[in-house]
Amino acid sequence: MQAALYWKACIMTKTTPKRILILLGHPSSDSFCAALAEAYAATARSAGHSVRELRLGQLDFDPILHEGYRQVQPLEADLLAAQEAISWAEHLVFAYPIWWGGAPALLKGFVDRVFLPGYAFKYRPGKAFPAQLLKGRTAQLLVTMDTPPWYFRWVYHMPGIHQLRKTTLEFCGVKPVKVASFGPMIDSTEAQRARWLEQAQALARRL
């Protein structure tokens, strides 16, 4: 009886391999955001997950949606590949900094160009809310900031997090979207950064 319970517990706690896409929203590959993304990716791979990575600063695309949705703006090859990678993924990880309360222009431009109607959501006549075309996926945000995270949450009310979590990913059907905030980055010590990298690794192990 005890042996049966033991093996049942092992089966229940065994990690199911997932398809993970990690998107670096910081323009620099030498940033701490990049280090967080790399730590998460390495840990996820070692746990048996399939991992792809997109460094937005290395993609070739126009981040400006010039005419909004009034006309089709052809997607560059790198954005077509990004859409394919998002469609492939079961779990999305965004690593990005908070600048002026929001996400960097690079990440915002990527969202504007990639999360399009017909791909990420679909308007429905007579319906207040569109169809969510990215259902079945989960997400993790790894967010750095110079503001103390508690202050960003309770005083500023996290605009740069809500924008991506609520009005982008959840709007398109990605749920749940979990958030890990790291900061303040300014004047942080090597020991603090090492602990934050360990936190990112722990998140990847808990998938």
Side-chain angles (χ1 to χ4, degrees):
M1 183 66 175
Q2 289 181 339
L5 291 173
Y6 170 79
W7 287 111
K8 183 178 180 180
C10 290
I11 293 171
M12 291 178 67
T13 58
K14 183 178 180 181
T15 299
T16 301
K18 292 183 179 180
R19 299 187 301 273
I20 302 171
L21 176 63
I22 300 177
L23 303 99
L24 175 60
H26 195 298
S28 173
S29 291
D30 293 329
S31 62
F32 188 70
C33 284
L36 288 170
E38 291 164 3
Y40 193 104
T43 303
R45 286 193 177 101
S46 67
H49 301 289
S50 297
V51 179
R52 295 187 189 180
E53 298 178 68
L54 280 180
R55 295 174 179 254
L56 304 191
Q58 297 178 358
L59 303 186
D60 182 13
F61 72 99
D62 182 353
I64 300 174
L65 187 63
H66 291 274
E67 299 295 333
Y69 297 150
R70 292 183 299 175
Q71 66 183 49
V72 175
Q73 184 173 337
L75 293 176
E76 293 87 345
D78 282 351
L79 295 189
L80 289 171
Q83 284 190 339
E84 185 277 329
I86 293 171
S87 297
W88 166 85
E90 298 171 293
H91 184 64
L92 305 172
V93 180
F94 290 81
Y96 67 98
I98 294 296
W99 289 348
W100 292 107
L106 174 66
L107 177 54
K108 179 59 167 62
F110 177 84
V111 169
D112 286 349
R113 294 294 316 282
V114 170
F115 286 70
L116 296 170
Y119 171 74
F121 64 95
K122 183 178 181 180
Y123 291 119
R124 297 178 292 178
K127 300 290 185 179
F129 297 99
Q132 299 172 320
L133 302 184
L134 295 182
K135 281 186 175 181
R137 294 166 181 79
T138 58
Q140 173 73 59
L141 308 186
L142 306 174
V143 187
T144 64
M145 59 189 71
D146 284 335
T147 304
W150 67 265
Y151 193 92
F152 189 69
R153 177 177 183 178
W154 297 111
V155 178
Y156 291 151
H157 304 296
M158 306 191 299
I161 290 174
H162 287 318
Q163 181 183 34
L164 188 58
R165 182 178 66 180
K166 291 184 176 295
T167 63
T168 301
L169 295 173
E170 291 182 358
F171 179 84
C172 297
V174 180
K175 291 182 181 179
V177 180
K178 298 182 179 180
V179 180
S181 299
F182 305 92
M185 294 301 303
I186 190 169
D187 296 329
S188 60
T189 65
E190 289 187 11
Q192 287 174 318
R193 294 188 178 208
R195 287 197 299 271
W196 293 336
L197 291 174
E198 290 173 358
Q199 290 176 29
Q201 294 169 330
L203 291 171
R205 283 193 290 268
R206 290 201 294 266
L207 284 171

